Amino acid sequence: MSKILVTGGLGFIGSHTVVELQNEGYDVVIIDDLSNSTIDVLDKITSITGIKPDYFNIDLKVKSSVQDFFKNNKIDGIIHFAASKAVGESVQKPLEYYENNIGSLVYLLQEMKATNVNNFIFSSSCTVYGQADELPITEDAPIKPAESPYGNTKQIGEEIIKDSTKVSDIKAIALRYFNPVGAHPSTKIGELPIGVPQNLIPFVTQTAARIREQLSVFGSDYETPDGTAVRDYIHVVDLAKAHIVALQRLLKNKNKSNFEVFNIGTGKGNSVLEVIKAFEKVTGKKLNYKLVDRRPGDITAAYADTTLATKELGWKPELTLEDALLSAWKWQETL
Ligand code: UD1
């Protein structure tokens, strides 16, 4: 069976993807520097699948460490999650974001080329579209100037990969995620926000758990049916499965070009108020929330056209927003 390197494999999306890879019989090796994850996730993954993945605590910003890893490990493909992802923090610390997200990507690609590892899946984001002119958003929608250094690292990252595929045997797929939410049905792994959550769903579950007093709904004067902003919330288990089919496409040489891009979302947009109502309905918990000003940098609405992923990858989401919210709540209750 193929051996797959998952960088950032102890993080939120990474850990769910490791579980799905193991369920499909892949041999998994994780690199994670624990900068935004904890080592106990390794045991949690093991308890879900019954198989302990290989694990290395390697800082991918250290080129010699990346070289050593590739010298000592025979890898068939890479799913690259390891990156910093806090939008606000990236504005404060742009150079750290460029060093971490771009430096590590360059070193990985260099070692892939040097050691003939040719299959690469990249964590990209719908943030590359900014506020798209047309909804739902297709992969052909123009890339808008990034709102933050974080968003810029995703745009630049895609370009670096695309350029690399032109001068090597590397084949790559960038998956542009919409808003990943939810947790594993086992309730053993989920999203672990450090400090005050910036994203909606962790803030919702922490408010319901009375860790936060009140949820602020950022903006109620958007041009949307109820005035609150609209996003495409994709269950992390469905998202994880998209990585497996994308990887299989490369391993079987089914790709149509050496750099491909797919949107991964549900195709449905939900407003913040709809999310709140759905959460209250599935959990039976009342949420204390108030409408406040817009959050700077936020867009009005984004949801995916997932036609291409369905056609080319044979992938479609199976879980609903309600499934995601209930699993996020059950996960919260374990914390
Ligand atoms: C952001 C990033 C995205 C990144 C994702 C996960 C942008 C444009 N998008 O998505 O690239 O991949 O985080 O890290 O930077 N909201 C509230 N109250 C809250 C929190 C959020 O009302 O306490 C609202 C937001 O205004 C937004 C929606 O909920 O309308 C979703 O917010 P969030 O979960 O932070 O995700 P995005 O901003 O869409």
Side-chain angles (χ1 to χ4, degrees), residues 85 87 125 127 150 179 198-201 203 215-218 229 231 233 272 295 297-298:
K85 61 160 191 174
V87 176
S125 167
T127 192
Y150 158 76
N179 288 55
Q198 304 300 309
N199 295 116
L200 178 62
I201 306 306
F203 209 105
L215 167 72
S216 295
V217 174
F218 297 136
R231 297 289 184 276
Y233 296 94
V272 177
R295 182 171 69 176
D298 271 355

Short mmCIF file of all heavy atoms in Angstrom, two decimals, residues 85 87 125 127 150 179 198-201 203 215-218 229 231 233 272 295 297-298, ligand 1:
data_model
loop_
_atom_site.label_atom_id
_atom_site.label_comp_id
_atom_site.label_asym_id
_atom_site.label_seq_id
_atom_site.Cartn_x
_atom_site.Cartn_y
_atom_site.Cartn_z
N LYS A 85 -2.96 29.66 10.12
CA LYS A 85 -4.22 29.97 9.43
C LYS A 85 -5.06 31.06 10.06
O LYS A 85 -6.22 31.24 9.68
CB LYS A 85 -5.05 28.69 9.31
CG LYS A 85 -5.40 28.10 10.66
CD LYS A 85 -6.58 27.17 10.61
CE LYS A 85 -7.04 26.84 12.00
NZ LYS A 85 -8.23 26.06 12.09
N VAL A 87 -6.31 34.54 10.28
CA VAL A 87 -6.31 35.69 9.38
C VAL A 87 -5.79 36.94 10.09
O VAL A 87 -4.88 37.62 9.60
CB VAL A 87 -7.74 35.92 8.83
CG1 VAL A 87 -7.79 37.17 7.96
CG2 VAL A 87 -8.21 34.70 8.05
N SER A 125 -7.75 27.55 -0.23
CA SER A 125 -8.91 28.14 0.45
C SER A 125 -9.73 28.98 -0.52
O SER A 125 -9.19 29.59 -1.45
CB SER A 125 -8.40 29.04 1.59
OG SER A 125 -9.44 29.84 2.08
N THR A 127 -10.71 31.65 0.13
CA THR A 127 -10.31 33.03 0.36
C THR A 127 -9.63 33.61 -0.89
O THR A 127 -9.62 34.81 -1.09
CB THR A 127 -9.40 33.12 1.61
OG1 THR A 127 -9.26 34.48 1.98
CG2 THR A 127 -8.03 32.55 1.40
N TYR A 150 -2.26 35.84 5.28
CA TYR A 150 -2.67 34.43 5.25
C TYR A 150 -3.26 34.07 3.88
O TYR A 150 -2.85 33.10 3.24
CB TYR A 150 -3.72 34.14 6.34
CG TYR A 150 -4.55 32.92 6.04
CD1 TYR A 150 -4.04 31.65 6.22
CD2 TYR A 150 -5.85 33.04 5.53
CE1 TYR A 150 -4.79 30.53 5.89
CE2 TYR A 150 -6.60 31.94 5.20
CZ TYR A 150 -6.07 30.68 5.39
OH TYR A 150 -6.80 29.58 5.05
N ASN A 179 -15.89 26.62 4.18
CA ASN A 179 -15.70 26.73 5.64
C ASN A 179 -15.78 25.36 6.32
O ASN A 179 -16.89 24.85 6.52
CB ASN A 179 -16.75 27.67 6.22
CG ASN A 179 -16.48 29.12 5.88
OD1 ASN A 179 -16.35 29.46 4.70
ND2 ASN A 179 -16.37 29.98 6.87
N GLN A 198 -11.79 32.48 16.77
CA GLN A 198 -12.07 33.51 15.77
C GLN A 198 -13.16 33.06 14.81
O GLN A 198 -13.84 33.87 14.21
CB GLN A 198 -10.79 33.82 14.95
CG GLN A 198 -9.60 34.22 15.82
CD GLN A 198 -9.87 35.47 16.63
OE1 GLN A 198 -10.31 36.48 16.09
NE2 GLN A 198 -9.65 35.41 17.94
N ASN A 199 -13.29 31.75 14.67
CA ASN A 199 -14.25 31.22 13.69
C ASN A 199 -15.61 31.00 14.33
O ASN A 199 -15.73 30.84 15.54
CB ASN A 199 -13.72 29.91 13.09
CG ASN A 199 -12.45 30.14 12.28
OD1 ASN A 199 -11.39 29.64 12.63
ND2 ASN A 199 -12.55 30.91 11.22
N LEU A 200 -16.62 31.00 13.48
CA LEU A 200 -18.00 31.01 13.98
C LEU A 200 -18.36 29.77 14.82
O LEU A 200 -18.86 29.91 15.94
CB LEU A 200 -18.97 31.14 12.80
CG LEU A 200 -20.46 31.12 13.16
CD1 LEU A 200 -20.83 32.29 14.07
CD2 LEU A 200 -21.32 31.11 11.90
N ILE A 201 -18.15 28.59 14.28
CA ILE A 201 -18.69 27.40 14.95
C ILE A 201 -18.06 27.15 16.33
O ILE A 201 -18.79 26.91 17.30
CB ILE A 201 -18.60 26.14 14.05
CG1 ILE A 201 -19.27 26.41 12.69
CG2 ILE A 201 -19.23 24.91 14.74
CD1 ILE A 201 -20.70 26.90 12.72
N PHE A 203 -16.96 29.35 18.27
CA PHE A 203 -17.53 30.37 19.16
C PHE A 203 -18.95 30.01 19.56
O PHE A 203 -19.37 30.18 20.72
CB PHE A 203 -17.47 31.78 18.53
CG PHE A 203 -17.35 32.87 19.56
CD1 PHE A 203 -16.15 33.52 19.77
CD2 PHE A 203 -18.44 33.19 20.37
CE1 PHE A 203 -16.03 34.49 20.76
CE2 PHE A 203 -18.33 34.16 21.36
CZ PHE A 203 -17.12 34.81 21.56
N LEU A 215 -22.36 35.36 21.93
CA LEU A 215 -21.86 35.31 20.55
C LEU A 215 -22.18 36.63 19.87
O LEU A 215 -23.32 37.09 19.93
CB LEU A 215 -22.54 34.16 19.81
CG LEU A 215 -22.39 34.13 18.29
CD1 LEU A 215 -20.96 33.74 17.89
CD2 LEU A 215 -23.38 33.15 17.69
N SER A 216 -21.18 37.23 19.24
CA SER A 216 -21.45 38.42 18.43
C SER A 216 -21.67 38.00 16.99
O SER A 216 -20.84 37.28 16.43
CB SER A 216 -20.27 39.38 18.47
OG SER A 216 -20.09 39.88 19.78
N VAL A 217 -22.78 38.42 16.43
CA VAL A 217 -23.03 38.19 15.00
C VAL A 217 -22.51 39.41 14.26
O VAL A 217 -23.03 40.52 14.42
CB VAL A 217 -24.54 37.98 14.73
CG1 VAL A 217 -24.81 37.88 13.23
CG2 VAL A 217 -25.04 36.75 15.47
N PHE A 218 -21.45 39.19 13.47
CA PHE A 218 -20.76 40.33 12.85
C PHE A 218 -21.50 40.80 11.60
O PHE A 218 -21.31 40.26 10.52
CB PHE A 218 -19.33 39.94 12.50
CG PHE A 218 -18.47 39.59 13.69
CD1 PHE A 218 -17.63 38.48 13.65
CD2 PHE A 218 -18.49 40.36 14.84
CE1 PHE A 218 -16.82 38.16 14.73
CE2 PHE A 218 -17.69 40.05 15.94
CZ PHE A 218 -16.85 38.93 15.88
N ALA A 229 -24.08 37.49 7.05
CA ALA A 229 -23.19 37.00 5.99
C ALA A 229 -23.41 35.50 5.71
O ALA A 229 -23.77 34.74 6.61
CB ALA A 229 -21.75 37.25 6.38
N ARG A 231 -22.06 31.79 4.19
CA ARG A 231 -20.89 30.95 3.91
C ARG A 231 -21.35 29.53 3.59
O ARG A 231 -22.48 29.14 3.90
CB ARG A 231 -19.97 30.87 5.15
CG ARG A 231 -19.36 32.18 5.59
CD ARG A 231 -18.29 32.69 4.63
NE ARG A 231 -17.65 33.88 5.12
CZ ARG A 231 -18.13 35.13 4.98
NH1 ARG A 231 -19.27 35.33 4.34
NH2 ARG A 231 -17.45 36.16 5.46
N TYR A 233 -20.68 25.91 4.66
CA TYR A 233 -20.07 25.15 5.77
C TYR A 233 -19.99 23.68 5.38
O TYR A 233 -21.02 23.02 5.23
CB TYR A 233 -20.90 25.34 7.04
CG TYR A 233 -20.88 26.78 7.50
CD1 TYR A 233 -21.89 27.68 7.12
CD2 TYR A 233 -19.83 27.27 8.28
CE1 TYR A 233 -21.86 29.02 7.51
CE2 TYR A 233 -19.80 28.60 8.68
CZ TYR A 233 -20.81 29.46 8.30
OH TYR A 233 -20.76 30.78 8.69
N VAL A 272 -25.34 33.48 8.96
CA VAL A 272 -24.97 33.28 10.36
C VAL A 272 -26.23 32.98 11.19
O VAL A 272 -26.23 32.07 12.03
CB VAL A 272 -24.21 34.51 10.92
CG1 VAL A 272 -23.89 34.32 12.39
CG2 VAL A 272 -22.93 34.76 10.13
N ARG A 295 -17.41 42.66 10.81
CA ARG A 295 -15.99 42.44 11.12
C ARG A 295 -15.18 42.88 9.90
O ARG A 295 -15.47 42.46 8.78
CB ARG A 295 -15.78 40.94 11.39
CG ARG A 295 -14.38 40.57 11.76
CD ARG A 295 -14.28 39.13 12.24
NE ARG A 295 -14.51 38.14 11.17
CZ ARG A 295 -14.41 36.83 11.34
NH1 ARG A 295 -14.11 36.33 12.53
NH2 ARG A 295 -14.63 36.00 10.34
N GLY A 297 -12.83 43.17 6.88
CA GLY A 297 -12.23 42.14 6.02
C GLY A 297 -13.20 41.04 5.61
O GLY A 297 -12.89 40.25 4.73
N ASP A 298 -14.36 40.97 6.27
CA ASP A 298 -15.33 39.92 5.93
C ASP A 298 -16.02 40.23 4.60
O ASP A 298 -16.30 41.38 4.29
CB ASP A 298 -16.40 39.79 7.01
CG ASP A 298 -16.00 38.83 8.11
OD1 ASP A 298 -14.94 38.19 7.99
OD2 ASP A 298 -16.76 38.71 9.10
C1 UD1 B 1 -12.02 32.64 7.51
C2 UD1 B 1 -11.09 32.93 6.36
C3 UD1 B 1 -10.77 31.67 5.62
C4 UD1 B 1 -10.23 30.65 6.55
C5 UD1 B 1 -11.26 30.37 7.62
C6 UD1 B 1 -10.79 29.33 8.59
C7 UD1 B 1 -11.33 35.08 5.29
C8 UD1 B 1 -12.08 35.90 4.28
N1 UD1 B 1 -11.73 33.84 5.45
O1 UD1 B 1 -13.28 32.32 6.94
O2 UD1 B 1 -9.82 31.92 4.63
O3 UD1 B 1 -9.94 29.47 5.82
O4 UD1 B 1 -11.53 31.59 8.32
O5 UD1 B 1 -9.76 29.79 9.39
O6 UD1 B 1 -10.45 35.56 5.90
N2 UD1 B 1 -18.84 35.26 12.58
C9 UD1 B 1 -19.66 35.84 13.53
N3 UD1 B 1 -19.28 35.80 14.85
C10 UD1 B 1 -18.11 35.19 15.24
C11 UD1 B 1 -17.29 34.58 14.27
C12 UD1 B 1 -17.69 34.64 12.95
O7 UD1 B 1 -20.69 36.41 13.21
O8 UD1 B 1 -17.82 35.21 16.45
C13 UD1 B 1 -19.26 35.27 11.19
C14 UD1 B 1 -18.26 35.92 10.26
O9 UD1 B 1 -18.46 37.30 10.19
C15 UD1 B 1 -18.56 35.20 8.95
C16 UD1 B 1 -19.02 33.80 9.40
O10 UD1 B 1 -19.40 33.95 10.76
O11 UD1 B 1 -19.63 35.82 8.30
C17 UD1 B 1 -17.92 32.77 9.30
O12 UD1 B 1 -16.76 33.27 9.94
P1 UD1 B 1 -15.46 32.38 10.17
O13 UD1 B 1 -15.83 31.09 10.78
O14 UD1 B 1 -14.47 33.23 10.89
O15 UD1 B 1 -14.94 32.04 8.71
P2 UD1 B 1 -14.60 33.01 7.48
O16 UD1 B 1 -14.32 34.38 7.93
O17 UD1 B 1 -15.65 32.79 6.45
#
